[in-house]
Amino acid sequence: MDIYGSYSWKQALAALGIGLVALVLAVAVFGGGQTSAILSNVGHAVDTPVQNVGTGTGGTAGSGGVDDGGQIADAAARPPELLIVRTGQLEIVVPDLRPAVSDAGKRVTAVGGYVSSSEESASGEDATASVVYRIPADRWDDALAAVRGLATDTRHAQVQTEVVTSQVVDLGARIANLRASEAAFQAIMVKATRISEVLDVQSKLNDVRGQIEQLVAEKTVLEGRAAFGTLTVVFNLPATPAAEEVRRGWDPATDVDKATGALLGLGQAAATVGIWLGIVGLPLLVLTAISAAIAWRIRRVMAGRGTVQPSS
């Protein structure tokens, strides 16, 4: 190999190295500036949907192909489903407590509901039971009628409703907005070249995901309450008639015992009074009589002296 061929090979290798260094510097300078600019814009995406992130146009976010507003627009075009939270309280009278509670549970289960909690208190004729049922919204009236069909009397019935459609729609829009921001942050994460930018994007991404989880939980709770209403049923036994209570409560032997006890009590009270009079009252009476006699005698003597005339 001649000297000129060797020099040309070394020169080409050096030029290639310089080109690679220039390429890395260009990516660091221009790519980093673009990442910072996009990051500053996406920071506002928590409040407003992100559009045209990356190099794509229309509704595409870079190479990720994220639809920026198609899903939100479709959701806004559809009329929202009416969501109503139902809460009911029912107090009924049943012939027999446990069979009625069992039958009510079967009837609620038959329409797709279930028993959420139950409690039984007292015993005998005063026994009551309280059961909380969760009932599908579309079978609420059927379940309510089925439970009331077990009653011989209804003491109290109340149903409260709360429309939560707007709350669910608002939560859905906020979740969609945050998901768009999440997608934008993920696209920026791919393009980030500096460690500081990566950490900043990761922090914002974690914050957005935390907000999404919180809103999804709230939306799920509201949808669950609307999907299954809550019915609290109190079961009571019929009250005992007054005549029956009088008949059951009258016992001649008990009345004789009470009358005898009252008579003995009066006798004991009279004997107690006599004892006190004999021991305490009689001496006091004698002393009082003696004192009165002495006082009377002294008064007579003083009066006699006052009537004697002086001699002339």
Side-chain angles (χ1 to χ4, degrees):
M1 182 179 295
D2 56 48
I3 189 171
Y4 296 102
S6 177
Y7 177 78
S8 300
W9 175 80
K10 292 180 179 180
Q11 188 177 21
L13 184 60
L16 180 59
I18 294 172
L20 290 174
V21 172
L23 179 60
V24 171
L25 292 175
V27 171
V29 173
F30 296 101
Q34 183 181 9
T35 300
S36 300
I38 296 176
L39 182 61
S40 63
N41 291 331
V42 179
H44 302 286
V46 176
D47 299 323
T48 56
V50 177
Q51 298 181 358
N52 301 334
V53 177
T55 58
T57 59
T60 304
S63 59
V66 179
D67 186 2
D68 61 341
Q71 295 180 353
I72 299 177
D74 293 341
R78 293 193 302 268
E81 180 183 359
L82 184 62
L83 299 177
I84 301 176
V85 177
R86 294 175 175 85
T87 305
Q89 294 85 32
L90 182 64
E91 185 175 359
I92 59 177
V93 178
V94 294
D96 198 353
L97 193 63
R98 293 187 176 178
V101 172
S102 177
D103 290 344
K106 293 178 182 179
R107 296 187 180 191
V108 171
T109 303
V111 299
Y114 62 92
V115 177
S116 177
S117 64
S118 62
E119 179 183 3
E120 185 174 347
S121 60
S123 60
E125 297 178 355
D126 297 330
T128 62
S130 177
V131 185
V132 179
Y133 302 100
R134 298 300 306 277
I135 302 173
D138 56 346
R139 302 299 302 275
W140 174 269
D141 294 335
D142 297 336
L144 189 60
V147 174
R148 296 188 70 168
L150 298 170
T152 58
D153 186 23
T154 300
R155 294 183 178 177
H156 175 73
Q158 181 180 11
V159 177
Q160 299 174 340
T161 59
E162 178 186 3
V163 180
V164 295
T165 306
S166 59
Q167 300 177 38
V168 173
V169 171
D170 179 66
L171 289 172
R174 293 169 63 185
I175 292 171
N177 193 9
L178 289 171
R179 290 196 187 281
S181 298
E182 179 187 21
F185 283 128
Q186 290 173 343
I188 294 174
M189 180 71 74
V190 175
K191 297 178 181 294
T193 57
R194 299 178 183 177
I195 296 179
S196 60
E197 292 176 347
V198 172
L199 295 177
D200 191 14
V201 175
Q202 186 64 47
S203 176
K204 293 182 180 295
L205 189 58
N206 292 338
D207 181 60
V208 168
R209 286 173 176 171
Q211 294 182 54
I212 291 175
E213 291 177 358
Q214 180 181 357
L215 295 180
V216 168
E218 294 179 9
K219 184 171 180 287
T220 302
V221 170
L222 283 178
E223 291 175 339
R225 291 177 58 199
F228 282 82
T230 302
L231 177 63
T232 302
V233 182
V234 178
F235 299 86
N236 297 289
L237 291 175
T240 304
E244 182 68 15
E245 288 186 358
V246 172
R247 186 186 68 81
R248 291 181 181 180
W250 183 68
D251 185 2
T254 302
D255 291 340
V256 171
D257 290 339
K258 291 180 179 179
T260 303
L263 181 59
L264 290 175
L266 290 175
Q268 291 175 354
T272 300
V273 172
I275 291 172
W276 277 87
L277 288 176
I279 296 176
V280 178
L282 185 59
L284 289 176
L285 182 61
V286 172
L287 290 175
T288 303
I290 294 173
S291 300
I294 294 173
W296 178 81
R297 183 63 180 172
I298 293 173
R299 186 176 180 183
R300 288 290 302 271
V301 171
M302 296 299 294
R305 290 179 180 181
T307 57
V308 175
Q309 297 293 331
S311 57
S312 55

